[in-house]
Amino acid sequence: DIDTLVGTFQKHPEWALDRVPSDWNDGWYPFGSSLFALFLEERYGNRDGKLLAEMWRHTPQNGHVTSVEPQNREVAYTDTQNKPTYFDAIGAVLATKGSSFDRAYAEFGVWRLLVGPDADGHHYQDAARYPPPTIATAYGVNRLPIVDLRPGRPVGNYGTSYVLLDPAGLDPAKALRIKVQGDAPYHWAAQAICTHAGAAAKVIDIVDTG
């Protein structure tokens, strides 16, 4: 069901998108990551599966299957390098649509947040059905300024970390200044997602100064 599959995925937004679970406690994570495939269909396709089928047509690899895991026949071993990967295939199709895997994933981070009680009616068609992602930490104005802090849970490759800034009590004549510095050599995308009940979310890109 949605709560089990997507819920496990949303519980750990900091994990890598293609993470292989180490035990069954998080075994539903790869199934819940289909939320990303749904995003691609809704954002770049027609929600009819045709876009995903097009992506799969970019995944054939030259080689042979040498064996299949007896305990889990979904796992196969081959005599070839895993190229192109599914991510490569997604990137190839998105390039024909004027986008890229990195740009799409950054936008997905916004869609992934605007679900459940935070759905704004402008992203997932069924956004209100999906459980929200875990918020790494939250800050009120009484804890400002916030400097030189790092995520408590390390963010994996194509993972996401959400921090809540509650402006309640902030002088309306003042503004929040937000700066993000990522760890080299990785590429970081950061956005400030401003929400207000009943209104479409406003997304502001933050320049990575790392």
Side-chain angles (χ1 to χ4, degrees):
D1 58 51
I2 289 178
D3 286 340
T4 299
L5 301 178
V6 177
T8 302
F9 178 68
Q10 293 285 71
K11 183 179 179 181
H12 293 283
E14 76 282 358
W15 284 352
L17 183 61
D18 58 351
R19 182 179 187 275
V20 176
S22 57
D23 59 65
W24 195 244
N25 289 330
D26 51 72
W28 292 117
Y29 180 86
F31 298 92
S33 65
S34 60
L35 194 64
F36 180 58
L38 179 60
F39 156 75
L40 295 172
E41 268 289 348
E42 293 201 23
R43 173 65 176 83
Y44 297 97
N46 297 310
R47 197 182 161 97
D48 56 6
K50 292 182 179 179
L51 180 73
L52 297 181
E54 181 182 353
M55 290 172 177
W56 277 112
R57 285 193 286 271
H58 287 262
T59 60
Q61 302 174 353
N62 292 320
H64 305 85
V65 174
T66 57
S67 63
V68 176
E69 182 67 45
Q71 301 301 321
N72 183 358
R73 300 189 64 82
E74 295 180 359
V75 179
Y77 301 94
T78 70
D79 59 6
T80 185
Q81 183 184 13
N82 183 30
K83 283 288 184 179
T85 67
Y86 184 48
F87 286 1
D88 294 332
I90 293 174
V93 173
L94 291 180
T96 68
K97 299 181 178 296
S99 188
S100 67
F101 190 99
D102 286 352
R103 287 168 58 188
Y105 186 82
E107 188 173 2
F108 168 65
V110 176
W111 285 51
R112 186 177 183 177
L113 178 67
L114 300 175
V115 297
D118 295 317
D120 67 349
H122 294 268
H123 294 84
Y124 283 116
Q125 178 176 309
D126 299 316
R129 297 180 58 196
Y130 308 136
T134 297
I135 302 298
T137 189
Y139 299 101
V141 295
N142 61 315
R143 298 185 64 183
L144 299 178
I146 304 163
V147 295
D148 296 332
L149 290 183
R150 292 170 175 78
R153 296 193 290 184
V155 182
N157 192 23
Y158 293 113
T160 305
S161 183
Y162 296 101
V163 175
L164 174 64
L165 298 175
D166 185 353
L170 184 68
D171 184 341
K174 296 182 179 180
L176 285 175
R177 176 177 293 177
I178 303 173
K179 182 172 67 173
V180 174
Q181 183 173 352
D183 294 331
Y186 302 102
H187 170 73
W188 295 81
Q191 298 95 7
I193 306 171
C194 307
T195 61
H196 191 278
K202 181 178 181 180
V203 181
I204 302 171
D205 289 331
I206 301 173
V207 177
D208 173 15
T209 60

